[in-house]
Amino acid sequence: MIASSSAVERFRHEALLYANEAEFLAGTVGFVRDGVRNGEPVLVVESLPRIHELRSALGGDADQVEFADMAEVGSNPARIIPAWQDFVDRYPTALRLRGIGEPIWPGRSADEVVECQRHEALLNTAFATGRAWWLLCPYDVHRLPAEVIAEAHRSHELVTSGDGVSSSSRFRSGTLSRLPLSAPFPEPQSVLGSYSFDRNSLAALRHELLDVIAGSGLSKSQGLKFALSVNEIATNSVQHGGGYGTARVWVEADTAVCEIRDDGFIDEPLADRRRPGAEASASRGYWLANQLCDLIQIRSGPAGTAVRLHKRLHGDEPRLRVMSP
């Protein structure tokens, strides 16, 4: 069912559709063992239960595999591509690499699912050139909505199921990564505060934000991180979005949200997914904000750009944890 590694001469992005544990293991164990046997570095980014299942099924081969908890790596979906890039960069002399990553699971919020789907599409852009490696993305067809599975067919060139592996007739790599950028945001039910800002009022915006979210449930340290991330995006608006912008803040469910709008236009689909370079001129706003926030959404078009920053009211920042051999 799984093609040999000799077929991987570029980035191969494949969805694995499974309905139960047996189908998950049938689609992943051989994939991992082939990589180990061929001397290919393998990283599995999965839920802890799936990691335990794979470790048990792999036996001694598990000692040759890196594992990481997707609930930590991908809590904010924008952090997943940099994690995969780090993996690829760690093995500069390897001819091929393999990965397993399952970013969408039951319980993800609707906003998180959209950003995960954008992530899956952006993988095709991020790794279109460069190293040859194979990424297998499992999808639980029994517990995920049909529209999520349909989207997987559009973001993956190949799809594996009980019938074997086949090319997806619905695959759209070039345009799909840009579509969510132009979809409008829904309006919030209520807003706690609205502000206009320019270069001279960024400090005032930070203080106003801290005041208005003081009673939202964010701890002091979380509030400071949230304000810092908002400052990064607002500074980006001042520098690249026309010199000014507007901000709105509200709370929905268990999350504080701040929306920044400006007159700029983002034409780089990976603007919020690339690790900034070491040079002083490198833009770090989106990168830093994604490290501090639980979710960032971007919508950009001819009428301007809107960025929504989400910070959960409870819980600490998730951290990358890799369980190495």
Side-chain angles (χ1 to χ4, degrees):
M1 182 166 62
I2 300 294
S4 69
S5 64
S6 63
V8 185
E9 303 300 340
R10 56 182 178 83
F11 178 58
R12 173 168 170 159
H13 195 197
E14 185 172 332
L16 168 65
L17 309 184
Y18 71 93
N20 49 50
E21 178 185 340
E23 291 185 4
F24 171 81
L25 292 175
T28 56
V29 172
F31 174 83
V32 172
R33 280 190 170 142
D34 281 350
V36 171
R37 183 168 53 249
N38 294 330
E40 300 170 8
V42 181
L43 171 60
V44 175
V45 190
E46 264 287 356
S47 67
L48 289 179
R50 292 294 183 217
I51 288 174
H52 293 318
E53 292 167 7
L54 263 175
R55 278 189 175 278
S56 178
L58 287 167
D61 285 338
D63 295 335
Q64 307 303 314
V65 178
E66 297 178 35
F67 294 90
D69 182 1
M70 181 60 87
E72 296 183 355
V73 176
S75 176
N76 180 340
R79 300 176 189 160
I80 307 176
I81 284 178
W84 284 123
Q85 187 64 64
D86 288 346
F87 167 62
V88 172
D89 292 344
R90 282 204 306 274
Y91 298 96
T93 62
L95 293 178
R96 302 182 185 89
L97 306 93
R98 295 189 186 216
I100 295 176
E102 187 168 3
I104 302 179
W105 59 81
R108 281 280 207 188
S109 71
D111 287 334
E112 288 174 338
V113 168
V114 169
E115 295 310 309
C116 285
Q117 291 172 330
R118 180 172 171 240
H119 154 76
E120 288 280 55
L122 285 172
L123 281 163
N124 302 309
T125 301
F127 298 103
T129 59
R131 307 285 299 285
W133 72 287
W134 188 349
L135 178 59
L136 188 67
C137 302
Y139 281 79
D140 188 337
V141 298
H142 180 66
R143 299 197 298 160
L144 292 175
E147 56 266 27
V148 171
I149 305 304
E151 197 73 13
H153 282 267
R154 288 189 281 270
S155 59
H156 294 78
E157 188 174 8
L158 299 168
V159 176
T160 293
S161 65
D163 297 326
V165 60
S166 61
S167 297
S168 173
S169 60
R170 289 174 276 177
F171 177 60
R172 297 184 300 168
S173 63
T175 58
L176 186 61
S177 64
R178 296 177 179 271
L179 290 179
L181 276 178
S182 59
F185 283 130
E187 279 295 304
Q189 292 185 352
S190 62
V191 174
L192 297 177
S194 299
Y195 317 93
S196 297
F197 62 87
D198 58 19
R199 186 180 304 276
N200 298 318
S201 56
L202 288 174
L205 174 63
R206 292 195 301 272
H207 292 304
E208 291 279 1
L209 179 66
L210 285 171
D211 287 342
V212 79
I213 65 173
S216 68
L218 283 177
S219 67
K220 183 177 180 180
S221 63
Q222 289 174 316
L224 288 172
K225 291 177 181 178
F226 190 45
L228 177 57
S229 64
V230 170
N231 181 75
E232 290 294 331
I233 302 305
T235 300
N236 194 72
S237 293
V238 168
Q239 294 176 342
H240 307 291
Y244 59 90
T246 61
R248 299 189 296 172
V249 62
W250 65 91
V251 173
E252 57 184 38
D254 62 346
T255 303
V257 183
C258 183
E259 178 187 272
I260 302 291
R261 288 185 177 269
D262 60 45
D263 291 337
F265 175 62
I266 299 174
D267 194 36
E268 169 49 60
L270 291 165
D272 59 334
R273 311 284 166 128
R274 294 286 197 195
R275 187 186 297 274
E279 62 274 12
S281 61
S283 177
R284 292 172 170 80
Y286 284 118
W287 174 264
L288 289 173
N290 268 312
Q291 308 316 302
L292 297 169
C293 284
D294 297 302
L295 186 72
I296 291 184
Q297 299 172 280
I298 300 174
R299 301 293 183 267
S300 189
T305 293
V307 180
R308 285 189 177 179
L309 303 96
H310 300 242
K311 186 71 175 174
R312 285 190 287 270
L313 300 183
H314 307 288
D316 296 326
E317 287 290 331
R319 294 177 299 170
L320 174 63
R321 179 177 63 181
V322 175
M323 294 178 281
S324 299

